[in-house]
Amino acid sequence: LLVAASVTWKHWSRFDNPIVYTAERPGDAPQPEANFGDTFVSRVGIEGSFTAGPFGLQARGGFAWEPSPAPLQEGYHNYLDNDRAVLGTGLGMDWRFIRLDLAFQYHHLVPRRAVKESTLSETHPGWPSIEHEGGIFYFGAEVGVTL
């Protein structure tokens, strides 16, 4: 049985603005800085290995929490990003020189809502707030041989 945990610091505050204005209209506000914040990502995982004769089996599971580096979007611009809770599981099987690994992940994008500035709502009706959430599913498979 193997248990592993980690914490990773991501230095987002040094990240350059990913969006560049290519055209501006008269009266547009200057492009603000992204103002991304540094984050700490935590992960924990577990793996159990079983052997029966020439067959091997590895069962895996894990969880990660990744907060968003983007500040709440209350002005004109929108860097849409969510905190993420990631749940993963996997299964590895080997027999002689053949190996098969299967993986599944679910990323839950935590709901986020930002209320836009009142001046923006006046100049852009229908833009009083922005909400975003969702989920991401990942499936993976790998077959390998040892020569």
Side-chain angles (χ1 to χ4, degrees):
L1 184 67
L2 172 68
V3 177
S6 72
V7 175
T8 303
W9 172 56
K10 293 190 174 185
H11 195 32
W12 284 104
S13 59
R14 294 277 316 247
F15 192 73
D16 289 332
N17 197 337
I19 298 173
V20 177
Y21 281 176
T22 56
E24 292 183 13
R25 300 172 302 205
D28 279 350
Q31 182 176 5
E33 293 296 319
N35 292 325
F36 292 145
D38 295 343
T39 62
F40 288 93
V41 179
S42 55
R43 296 178 179 87
V44 63
I46 188 167
E47 178 183 79
S49 296
F50 311 94
T51 304
F55 298 98
L57 182 68
Q58 299 82 38
R60 304 176 185 107
F63 177 79
W65 175 255
E66 183 151 359
S68 170
L72 203 54
Q73 302 297 297
E74 297 173 332
Y76 180 76
H77 304 286
N78 295 305
Y79 297 101
L80 302 182
D81 195 27
N82 303 66
D83 294 338
R84 281 188 298 144
V86 182
L87 187 62
T89 186
L91 186 63
M93 297 169 282
D94 52 77
W95 176 69
R96 298 185 187 209
F97 60 90
I98 300 172
R99 176 154 187 86
L100 173 65
D101 283 292
L102 304 171
F104 169 77
Q105 285 184 354
Y106 174 68
H107 297 239
H108 172 68
L109 305 178
V110 178
R112 199 166 189 194
R113 181 175 189 263
V115 177
K116 296 297 188 172
E117 298 169 352
S118 61
T119 55
L120 182 61
S121 297
E122 292 168 8
T123 57
H124 295 81
W127 284 21
S129 67
I130 188 161
E131 299 178 40
H132 47 98
E133 64 182 291
I136 300 169
F137 292 94
Y138 166 82
F139 299 94
E142 179 180 288
V143 176
V145 295
T146 303
L147 302 177

